[in-house]
Amino acid sequence: MKSIVIFDIDGVIRDVTNSYRRALADTVEHFTNNFYRPTMEDIDNLKAEGIWNNDWECSQELIYRYYESQGKLRSEISYTYPEIVNFFQRLYRGSQLDQPETWEGYITTEPLLVDRAYFDTLTNNNLAWGFFSGATKGSAEYILKHRLGLENPILVAMEDAPGKPDPTGLFLALELIEQKFSLPELLPVVYLGDTVADITTITNAKNIKPQRQWSSIGVLPPHVQNDEILRQNYTNQLLKVGADRVVTKVTDFVNL
């Protein structure tokens, strides 16, 4: 293997426009008593701050900000984080939260942005690969194993490491890939993600382990694909925070 490639999942491997983002908007709308439903632009603007990679936390933050705009203090808002998470998950997964085989929520409608053959191509190009995602392990495995049919892919998910832009999970994914394939130390690393937090994760990794060659590739998420102004603004945003390059879709990347 000549390099290691690690993928984010949401917006890169699967289209979450009408699943995670829909659940986020529905959740905010519910907890603001139907007075505020965030737009895609509202969600993008929040994520552009670089610290809101977790959609449950995004939901809570947008709820807080709405009530602050109405003159309330955060301490006056009675909704708890577990309540917000539970409502979100019942939309996203369905009523049987812990039984993937019976999920009937938004997750079941997510379009895939790659197929299994894509990863065979990477392997044939001497690239070792794996995944580091802020999604829950159950959600990520549902896509990777049940939908894509990948066998025991290397995956570091929400439960395994701090959220991005903390690079701890990235380092863990690298370690697991190196062990699985008995790779030499310090092979170059490429990370593909669609958010500011994804790109900043690589910047932080460079600062902690400068002896390694790191590259970040921004991937334009599906919800900006059909508007040239949105595409350009999103591209500029990812480049501004340090992306080495930006691709329209993940399958545009097949080699270094």
Side-chain angles (χ1 to χ4, degrees), residues 79-190:
Y79 307 125
T80 66
Y81 185 64
E83 286 179 299
I84 292 169
V85 171
N86 184 65
F87 185 85
F88 185 111
Q89 288 294 82
R90 288 187 177 279
L91 293 172
Y92 182 66
R93 292 188 176 186
S95 57
Q96 302 299 318
L97 296 181
D98 299 319
Q99 300 178 37
E101 64 278 3
T102 63
W103 284 350
E104 78 277 5
Y106 299 165
I107 190 174
T108 61
T109 68
E110 292 172 333
L112 296 177
L113 303 175
V114 296
D115 57 21
R116 181 171 177 171
Y118 172 72
F119 297 100
D120 293 334
T121 300
L122 296 181
T123 301
N124 292 336
N125 286 337
N126 296 318
L127 301 176
W129 46 268
F131 303 90
F132 168 42
S133 171
T136 63
K137 187 172 288 291
S139 168
E141 288 186 340
Y142 180 84
I143 292 300
L144 300 181
K145 294 182 179 181
H146 295 273
R147 297 283 307 281
L148 278 172
L150 300 178
E151 297 178 8
N152 299 315
I154 297 295
L155 168 65
V156 175
M158 178 192 291
E159 298 91 334
D160 303 317
K164 293 174 278 189
D166 187 318
T168 301
L170 181 69
F171 296 152
L172 176 57
L174 280 174
E175 182 181 343
L176 293 172
I177 292 170
E178 289 171 337
Q179 290 174 355
K180 179 177 180 178
F181 296 103
S182 300
L183 300 178
E185 293 183 357
L186 299 180
L187 284 179
V189 176
V190 180

Side-chain angles (χ1 to χ4, degrees), residues 10-29:
D10 300 335
V12 176
I13 302 299
R14 60 180 170 188
D15 182 353
V16 296
T17 305
N18 290 307
S19 56
Y20 264 128
R21 281 175 171 255
R22 179 184 173 191
L24 194 164
D26 286 352
T27 300
V28 174
E29 185 174 46

